Amino acid sequence: MTSGNVEDRIQKISSVIRVIPDFPKPGIMFQDITTLLLDTKAFKDCIDLFVERYKDKNISVVAGVEARGFIFGPPIALAIGAKFVPLRKPGKLPGEVIREEYSLEYGKDIMEMHVGAVNAGERAIIVDDLVATGGTLRAALNLLEHVGVEVVECACLIELPELKGRDRLGDKPLFVLVSASQS
Amino acid sequence: MSGFREEDPRINSIRTKIRVVPNFPKQGIDFLDITTLLLDPKVFKNTIDMFVERYKNKNISVVAGIEARGFIFGPPIALAIGAKFVPLRKPRKLPGEVISEEYTLEYGSDCLEMHVGAVQHSDRALVVDDLVATGGTLCAAMNLLERAGAEVVECACVIELPALKGRERLNGKPLYILVEYHS
């Protein structure tokens, strides 16, 4: 029994993502993945598509960005036999951390990772639900590269290509399932 | 007949992989850190398997996970048992229409939110979090699900701090845990 070809599965995934206008503020079309999580087959297909891509690539680390990266990262990690490393907002991780500051549209934020979570030479993917400007992914990339990890790819369900997140990742590849327009 | 029950052989490695971080987030608190468990793929898988084995034949249609560490354990369980995953979040994170439940903290109060329409009257639900302490968060989660008409079958956590008597705050709902921590 097959789970359907790639295009059919992506089409279904795209159709169950809910767009909420003017959230968190006027003019923004928010891509809500919670409706996908309510569709058991679409959620499973989504994870399977990532697992099929990464299972034979010797990935030992799946790093997930808080908080929606925590929903998609662990199932991928479990299926490919990799560790899961949470990348968190400041002050959440206990014990020793390394931190990376990054800019937002207005102001800055900080991302933290545990010291010792990853080892130099490990091969990693970074997972989040969506890539917009790429600022968050860039910070995650920097954190992992600072400790000698090879980031093989960034993986998101959704890309907002108009915000040019790909450009911020330099030569790092970005894999997405769905491309969404902001207009 | 004695109450002795042989411990599942997987429990010991789960217990030993949890890191105790003293004086976090403040003096006098021992923080139970599950991130070290996530770094061991086999032990992380064993943790999920223990919950899946318990719930797979119980007609559970919803796994509700509490932000943020409930997002790490809930989705793999949901995927394995064919249930929807419903994130329960801090205020103003979920877009669209939500219901809110306020709950008391040691100092002050906090609020948990769930999407309107995420669960229905016919749903049988689990609530998942990494740890139960006073039970305040689990209680708020249960209230949200019951207000929406779902039946909460059980609460499931990796760790319990029995000294904080969280079980008593669950209005008689059963609580299943893998590891107890006694300070």
Side-chain angles (χ1 to χ4, degrees):
Chain A
M1 183 180 75
T2 64
S3 35
N5 68 24
V6 174
E7 291 77 23
D8 288 345
R9 286 184 284 170
I10 289 181
Q11 172 58 28
K12 181 62 203 273
I13 287 163
S14 184
S15 73
V16 293
I17 292 166
R18 177 169 70 152
V19 182
I20 308 256
D22 302 321
F23 184 91
K25 51 184 212 230
I28 308 263
M29 305 289 281
F30 189 89
Q31 303 284 325
D32 179 22
I33 50 84
T34 65
T35 39
L36 180 151
L37 307 175
L38 299 179
D39 184 320
T40 51
K41 183 174 188 306
F43 184 20
K44 183 179 185 303
D45 284 346
C46 174
I47 298 301
D48 286 350
L49 285 165
F50 290 115
V51 170
E52 286 159 19
R53 183 177 181 84
Y54 297 117
K55 65 182 177 180
D56 297 322
K57 293 201 162 62
N58 289 316
I59 306 291
S60 61
V61 175
V62 173
V65 180
E66 169 166 18
R68 290 183 289 263
F70 288 10
I71 296 174
F72 298 97
I76 297 167
L78 285 160
I80 68 175
K83 22 187 191 181
F84 178 70
V85 175
L87 304 179
R88 298 211 66 174
K89 301 286 186 192
K92 302 293 185 77
L93 290 171
E96 222 188 328
V97 297
I98 57 172
R99 48 177 60 92
E100 180 79 15
E101 195 176 275
Y102 62 105
S103 29
L104 302 170
E105 193 183 3
Y106 301 108
K108 295 186 196 292
D109 208 340
I110 291 173
M111 183 181 292
E112 295 184 343
M113 180 173 76
H114 266 140
V115 167
V118 296
N119 303 308
E122 291 206 77
R123 288 165 56 80
I125 59 169
I126 300 169
V127 174
D128 205 355
D129 66 322
L130 181 143
V131 51
T133 62
T136 316
L137 282 183
R138 180 79 245 178
L141 198 46
N142 290 347
L143 268 177
L144 289 161
E145 290 186 333
H146 272 149
V147 292
V149 167
E150 179 194 347
V151 177
V152 172
E153 195 158 80
C154 295
C156 300
L157 274 71
I158 305 161
E159 177 185 16
L160 305 181
E162 289 147 13
L163 298 178
K164 303 189 190 299
R166 249 174 229 270
D167 295 351
R168 246 169 126 174
L169 301 180
D171 59 0
K172 278 302 168 195
L174 169 66
F175 173 71
V176 303
L177 301 182
V178 170
S179 199
S181 168
Q182 273 294 89
S183 48
Chain B
M1 188 161 168
S2 83
F4 177 75
R5 195 162 44 104
E6 230 177 71
E7 190 178 82
D8 188 295
R10 292 169 289 185
I11 294 273
N12 195 52
S13 57
I14 292 168
R15 184 187 293 118
T16 55
K17 283 288 173 178
I18 294 165
R19 177 171 71 150
V20 182
V21 182
N23 301 315
F24 185 91
K26 52 187 208 224
Q27 285 293 112
I29 307 251
D30 277 347
F31 188 91
L32 279 296
D33 179 20
I34 48 85
T35 66
T36 38
L37 183 156
L38 307 175
L39 298 181
D40 187 324
K42 186 165 187 307
V43 177
F44 184 20
K45 183 180 187 304
N46 285 344
T47 306
I48 299 301
D49 285 351
M50 291 198 65
F51 291 117
V52 170
E53 286 161 21
R54 182 177 180 83
Y55 297 118
K56 65 183 177 185
N57 294 318
K58 292 200 161 64
N59 287 316
I60 304 293
S61 56
V62 170
V63 173
I66 299 177
E67 171 166 16
R69 291 182 290 264
F71 288 9
I72 295 174
F73 297 97
I77 297 168
L79 285 160
I81 68 175
K84 320 186 253 195
F85 178 71
V86 174
L88 304 180
R89 298 210 67 174
K90 302 287 188 192
R92 293 174 299 283
K93 301 295 187 74
L94 291 170
E97 220 188 333
V98 298
I99 57 172
S100 297
E101 181 80 14
E102 202 173 309
Y103 61 103
T104 46
L105 300 169
E106 193 183 3
Y107 301 107
S109 65
D110 207 340
C111 207
L112 209 56
E113 293 186 342
M114 181 173 77
H115 266 139
V116 168
V119 303
Q120 277 90 46
H121 283 257
S122 55
D123 278 320
R124 284 167 53 78
L126 285 186
V127 181
V128 173
D129 207 355
D130 65 323
L131 180 145
V132 50
T134 62
T137 320
L138 282 185
C139 185
M142 283 182 359
N143 288 346
L144 279 172
L145 290 160
E146 289 179 342
R147 281 166 56 193
E151 176 195 351
V152 177
V153 173
E154 195 159 83
C155 294
C157 301
V158 180
I159 305 162
E160 179 186 15
L161 307 180
L164 296 178
K165 302 186 190 299
R167 252 174 226 271
E168 295 171 18
R169 246 177 121 167
L170 302 183
N171 291 327
K173 278 296 176 197
L175 169 67
Y176 175 70
I177 54 107
L178 301 183
V179 171
E180 287 180 4
Y181 179 73
H182 303 269
S183 54

